Amino acid sequence: MEGGGRPSALQATLLAASTALTALFYSVYRQKARVARGLEGAKRVRLDGDLRMVLLEAPGRCVPYAVIEGVVRSVKETLSSQFVENCKGVVQRLTLQEHKMVWNRTTHLWNDCEKLIHQRTNTAPFDLSPPEEGAGVTVRVMKPLEATELSLETVYEKFHPSVQSFTDVIGHYISGERPKGIQETEQMLRVGTALTGVGELVLDNSTIKLQPPKQGMPYYLSSSDFHSLLQKQESNVRFWKILTLLTGCATCTVLFFVLWRRYRHHRERRRLRQMQEEFRQAQERLLLQAKAEGGETLKNSCVICLNTPKSCVFLECGHVCSCHQCYQALPEPKRCPICRQNISRVVPMYNS
């Protein structure tokens, strides 16, 4: 605590930081909990003949948040892998990534660093169909790249190490960057992949479409089943809840410490005021008694017991205000009753 009982700069900083983190984590926790509740309450539909009737009876021919499971089927053309033969898909992502070592001037260590050089994503129209060919109905998947979770399978990955001469090595040590190589990756959503789609289900003329929901809920195209997807979201909710509780407890601890120090300061000030008031009243009584008796006896009396003559000189403050018995009765650490300064030693006083 600083003067006046105010919190120190460190305590104020800790309290502000912990409060801000608690508010941030609580906001994320509420968002994750909202997503988990929405996913738990999503309507599960099946790819069968009743799906069209369900949409016809729904308001606006729309189910705002639905879960549907099916197999990826291409509508017309498919995308072929550039590196793997007979690998067909409907979403293809090609990535070039540079790997290098960067010198950290603070830790004096070489750290791994990755830099995206180029990425291209190709898509082709596709449907979600029942596992059995020609059974049930199909659902057209719209805007797959907007999905929060789009499960792509890595079908090709190759690392091309960089070739360096001795001059290059010297230059890299001087510049603080050592290239390791280029990683080439191809990811695809292959035809025949079992997919769980969560989004808005609408009937547009004769076509059933799965598209991003309009209520701000996430759009999923995951290779996991619905139960695993829900468990993953609930696990995220628990993680952020625990993090919020930990930072909240830290905030309460810092706040309690600040308030406790403030209370102690206030209590000490009140005790000092009470002692000063008692001392002032005792002085007034002494003066009145001295005037009434017209003598000098009480003028040199101990300010504590008001009976015994003063016999102690307190150092280093130099006050003469107490008898030896009252000095010994002072609580540790012993302080001068007049100025509250610590008493380092006592010198006896003799009246001649």
Side-chain angles (χ1 to χ4, degrees):
M1 283 284 181
E2 296 179 347
R6 294 185 299 271
S8 65
L10 177 60
Q11 292 169 356
T13 303
L14 286 175
L15 184 60
S18 60
T19 303
L21 284 176
T22 302
L24 176 62
F25 292 158
Y26 180 69
S27 176
V28 176
Y29 159 71
R30 287 194 61 182
Q31 181 183 1
K32 297 292 184 181
R34 174 176 170 269
V35 169
R37 287 195 304 268
L39 193 61
E40 188 176 4
K43 185 174 182 178
R44 300 192 65 178
V45 297
R46 298 172 58 106
L47 290 171
D48 53 22
D50 296 334
L51 177 57
R52 193 177 298 274
M53 292 301 299
V54 170
L55 291 173
L56 286 172
E57 295 174 357
R61 297 185 177 184
C62 169
V63 178
Y65 209 46
V67 180
I68 192 165
E69 296 178 349
V71 175
V72 174
R73 305 291 184 194
S74 61
V75 176
K76 294 180 182 178
E77 73 281 357
T78 58
L79 302 174
S80 299
S81 171
Q82 295 187 4
F83 305 98
V84 181
E85 294 184 0
N86 300 323
C87 183
K88 304 290 185 179
V90 292
V91 179
Q92 179 189 46
R93 179 170 292 164
L94 301 170
T95 305
L96 285 178
Q97 201 169 35
E98 180 186 10
H99 291 257
K100 58 183 178 181
M101 303 285 288
V102 178
W103 176 255
N104 191 317
R105 301 183 185 276
T106 304
T107 61
H108 299 284
L109 296 172
W110 290 95
N111 299 328
D112 287 324
C113 182
E114 299 177 356
K115 179 182 177 181
L116 184 64
I117 300 176
H118 177 72
Q119 187 176 78
R120 186 177 80 248
T121 304
N122 303 318
T123 62
F126 67 96
D127 293 338
L128 288 181
S129 304
E132 300 82 9
E133 289 284 351
V137 296
T138 61
V139 174
R140 182 69 49 85
V141 178
M142 310 299 295
K143 302 178 181 180
L145 299 184
E146 294 186 14
T148 303
E149 181 176 332
L150 177 61
S151 298
L152 299 179
E153 178 186 354
T154 301
V155 296
Y156 176 81
E157 188 174 19
K158 186 174 182 180
F159 184 76
H160 304 277
S162 59
V163 179
Q164 305 175 18
S165 63
F166 180 75
T167 307
D168 294 333
V169 172
I170 299 298
H172 296 153
Y173 271 96
I174 295 175
S175 64
E177 291 189 2
R178 293 164 47 192
K180 297 171 63 177
I182 303 296
Q183 184 172 355
E184 191 174 16
T185 306
E186 183 182 26
Q187 296 174 299
M188 296 191 72
L189 179 59
R190 302 176 66 173
V191 174
T193 302
L195 209 62
T196 301
V198 185
E200 184 181 62
L201 204 60
V202 298
L203 178 61
D204 186 7
N205 295 328
S206 60
T207 305
I208 302 176
K209 297 180 180 180
L210 180 68
Q211 60 190 20
K214 296 184 178 64
Q215 291 81 11
M217 298 297 292
Y219 182 36
Y220 294 101
L221 293 173
S222 174
S223 58
S224 304
D225 57 19
F226 176 70
H227 182 68
S228 300
L229 194 62
L230 183 59
Q231 279 189 332
K232 181 179 178 181
Q233 295 304 318
E234 291 175 345
S235 176
N236 285 337
V237 171
R238 286 193 296 271
F239 170 76
W240 287 104
K241 183 178 181 179
I242 292 173
L243 209 57
T244 303
L245 290 175
L246 290 177
T247 53
C249 290
T251 302
C252 292
T253 302
V254 175
L255 181 60
F256 174 77
F257 177 75
V258 171
L259 293 177
W260 177 68
R261 294 291 299 272
R262 176 71 177 176
Y263 167 73
R264 285 190 59 188
H265 177 80
H266 176 72
R267 187 178 62 180
E268 182 68 17
R269 288 185 60 186
R270 186 173 60 182
R271 189 176 67 85
L272 288 177
R273 285 197 301 267
Q274 184 178 359
M275 290 179 60
Q276 291 172 357
E277 181 64 22
E278 292 176 353
F279 176 75
R280 186 184 62 80
Q281 293 175 1
Q283 289 283 56
E284 291 178 354
R285 288 196 301 270
L286 277 176
L287 290 174
L288 292 175
Q289 189 173 356
K291 289 179 180 179
E293 296 181 0
E296 295 293 328
T297 305
L298 294 178
K299 187 175 180 180
N300 294 322
S301 297
C302 171
V303 299
I304 300 175
C305 65
L306 304 178
N307 291 322
T308 311
K310 302 172 184 175
S311 60
C312 297
V313 181
F314 296 154
L315 299 178
E316 303 294 332
C317 66
H319 284 122
V320 180
C321 59
S322 171
C323 62
H324 186 68
Q325 290 81 2
C326 291
Y327 162 72
Q328 290 181 331
L330 289 175
E332 295 291 343
K334 297 185 184 299
R335 299 176 185 270
C336 174
I338 303 298
C339 63
R340 304 302 300 164
Q341 186 175 342
N342 288 337
I343 301 173
S344 59
R345 60 195 181 98
V346 177
V347 176
M349 184 185 71
Y350 301 97
N351 294 321
S352 58

